[in-house]
């Protein structure tokens, strides 16, 4: 029987060539070490330059040569030069290199009267501050009185001492401003357009108006200085409606105390509602039946 436990040697073919072991080349560490040394040296130089540069900067900042001597401020209407310098937080003798221009701009922009500001540094001794101030166009009652600028922006709450001799706009509240800021802004800009049309009037003008009231559903209503009579305008075509009203205002002005309201929100007539004792619903006056020619809008 065959002995299965007996190990037999495997015979290799006689013609098979034996593999020659490869010789390993030694690793040349010199270039690697040289590159590492250069990198380390570069980092050390950069660090030294950084520290040295910082020290140089501090030395230059502390020199008396680069010190603030002159502050140039653009012409102002509302604020004073000293107020601008105080708001900017600068003073003569400050280091020119130590002035942070962005911080100065932010500090100045916190003042509600300042719309835009530009700050420039001119070595060795000068700082220039150019300020664009807001100009109130009207006062808006939103629960508190606020100034309105020409762009329809409510920019400042009035405090004691602020001027009140501006056109008054009512009908807008704080909730409207928060819930629909874009719509409210457009309504206020339209109110400014109406105020401009009133300024241009020769017979009935801004001096005859005590209040410009806005209603989101109806539009605009004016209240006269004389007896507080509502003059309904609605929306749009302000120039045409006011021109039509001017044609009869001289006749109506002596009767203002007897009028309930005047409605100009028509294309071909003016409706005047008169007051009588014990009744607010009265027939319209003769003016209500008058048809006036249309005036083109320019």
């Amino acid at each position: 029987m065959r002995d299965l436990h007996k190990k037999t040697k495997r015979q290799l073919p006689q013609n098979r060539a034996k593999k020659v072991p490869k010789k390993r080349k030694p690793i040349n560490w010199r270039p690697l070490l040289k590159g590492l040394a250069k990198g380390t040296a570069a980092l050390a130089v950069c660090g030294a330059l950084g520290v040295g540069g910082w020290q140089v900067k501090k030395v230059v900042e502390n020199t008396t040569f680069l010190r603030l001597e002159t502050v140039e401020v653009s012409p102002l209407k509302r604020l004073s030069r000293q107020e601008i310098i105080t708001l900017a937080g600068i003073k003569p003798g400050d280091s020119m290199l130590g002035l942070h221009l962005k911080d100065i701009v932010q500090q100045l922009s916190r003042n509600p009267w300042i719309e835009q500001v530009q700050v420039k540094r001119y070595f060795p001794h000068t700082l220039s501050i150019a300020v664009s101030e807001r100009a109130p166009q009207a006062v808006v009652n939103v629960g508190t009185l606020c100034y309105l600028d020409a762009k329809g922006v409510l920019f400042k709450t009035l405090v004691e001492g602020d001027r009140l001799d501006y056109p008054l706009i009512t009908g807008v509240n704080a909730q409207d401003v928060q819930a629909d800021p874009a719509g409210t802004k457009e309504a206020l800009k339209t109110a400014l357009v109406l105020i401009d049309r009133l300024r241009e009037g020769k017979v009935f003008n801004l001096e005859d108006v005590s209040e410009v009231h806005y209603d989101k559903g109806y539009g605009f209503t004016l209240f006269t200085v004389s007896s507080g009579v509502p003059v309904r305008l609605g929306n749009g075509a302000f120039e045409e409606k006011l021109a039509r009203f001017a044609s009869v205002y001289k006749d109506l002005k002596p009767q203002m105390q007897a009028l309930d309201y005047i409605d100009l929100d028509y294309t071909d007539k003016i409706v005047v509602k008169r007051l009588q004792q014990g009744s607010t619903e009265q027939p319209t006056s003769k003016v209500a039946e008058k048809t006036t020619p249309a005036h083109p809008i320019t």
Side-chain angles (χ1 to χ4, degrees), residues 203 208 226-227 248-257 259:
V203 179
D208 298 300
S226 176
S227 303
V248 298
Y249 181 62
K250 286 184 179 180
D251 296 330
L252 288 176
K253 191 173 182 179
Q255 311 172 44
M256 296 301 271
Q257 291 183 348
L259 301 183

Side-chain angles (χ1 to χ4, degrees), residues 238-298:
F238 297 141
E239 187 171 356
E240 178 182 338
K241 293 172 182 177
L242 291 172
R244 199 179 324 123
F245 182 49
S247 67
V248 298
Y249 181 62
K250 286 184 179 180
D251 296 330
L252 288 176
K253 191 173 182 179
Q255 311 172 44
M256 296 301 271
Q257 291 183 348
L259 301 183
D260 185 13
Y261 66 83
I262 301 168
D263 196 341
L264 306 179
D265 198 17
Y266 294 90
T267 58
D268 59 351
K269 63 183 178 181
I270 299 170
V271 174
V272 178
K273 179 75 75 173
R274 293 184 178 277
L275 284 172
Q276 288 185 357
Q277 288 184 351
S279 176
T280 58
E281 295 294 330
Q282 301 299 328
T284 57
S285 70
K286 292 181 180 180
V287 179
E289 304 301 327
K290 180 177 179 179
T291 300
T292 59
H295 295 261
I297 301 176
T298 57

Side-chain angles (χ1 to χ4, degrees), residues 58-269:
K58 296 301 291 183
V59 170
V60 173
E61 283 183 0
N62 292 327
T63 60
T64 57
F65 178 65
L66 295 176
R67 293 287 176 178
L68 178 63
E69 295 180 3
T70 304
V71 180
E72 298 176 348
V73 180
S74 60
L76 301 165
K77 293 182 178 180
R78 180 71 52 174
L79 300 171
S80 68
R81 168 187 166 81
Q82 189 54 50
E83 283 177 310
I84 294 296
I85 293 175
T86 302
L87 288 169
I90 57 175
K91 62 184 183 300
D94 285 346
S95 168
M96 289 292 290
L97 291 176
L99 296 174
H100 300 286
L101 303 190
K102 288 184 178 180
D103 292 344
I104 295 174
V105 170
Q106 289 178 354
Q107 288 170 205
L108 289 169
S109 298
R110 293 191 185 103
N111 187 289
W113 289 106
I114 297 177
E115 183 176 10
Q116 292 180 339
V117 59
Q118 189 176 45
V119 181
K120 293 182 179 180
R121 174 170 36 201
Y122 297 99
F123 289 104
H125 306 300
T126 302
L127 188 72
S128 172
I129 302 176
V131 171
S132 175
E133 294 176 288
R134 288 186 171 94
Q137 301 299 311
V139 172
V140 184
N141 188 349
V142 292
T144 57
L145 298 179
C146 297
Y147 281 137
L148 179 72
D149 71 7
K151 296 180 180 179
V153 175
L154 296 166
F155 68 91
K156 183 183 185 299
T157 300
L158 272 69
V159 296
E160 186 177 355
D162 285 335
R163 290 172 52 187
L164 291 170
D165 54 341
Y166 295 98
L168 175 63
I169 301 173
T170 62
V172 176
N173 56 48
Q175 185 176 357
D176 294 330
V177 176
Q178 293 178 355
D180 185 15
T184 302
K185 185 177 181 180
E186 285 302 313
L188 292 173
K189 288 170 68 176
T190 304
L192 292 177
V193 172
L194 173 55
I195 289 170
D196 286 341
R197 299 290 81 80
L198 288 166
R199 283 196 178 100
E200 296 168 358
K202 295 181 179 179
V203 179
F204 179 78
N205 56 43
L206 191 57
E207 293 182 0
D208 298 300
V209 176
S210 65
E211 176 185 334
V212 177
H213 183 78
Y214 172 72
D215 181 87
K216 188 179 292 186
Y218 175 73
F220 290 91
T221 300
L222 307 176
F223 287 87
T224 63
V225 172
S226 176
S227 303
V229 178
V231 180
R232 301 174 182 175
L233 287 172
N235 287 303
F238 297 141
E239 187 171 356
E240 178 182 338
K241 293 172 182 177
L242 291 172
R244 199 179 324 123
F245 182 49
S247 67
V248 298
Y249 181 62
K250 286 184 179 180
D251 296 330
L252 288 176
K253 191 173 182 179
Q255 311 172 44
M256 296 301 271
Q257 291 183 348
L259 301 183
D260 185 13
Y261 66 83
I262 301 168
D263 196 341
L264 306 179
D265 198 17
Y266 294 90
T267 58
D268 59 351
K269 63 183 178 181

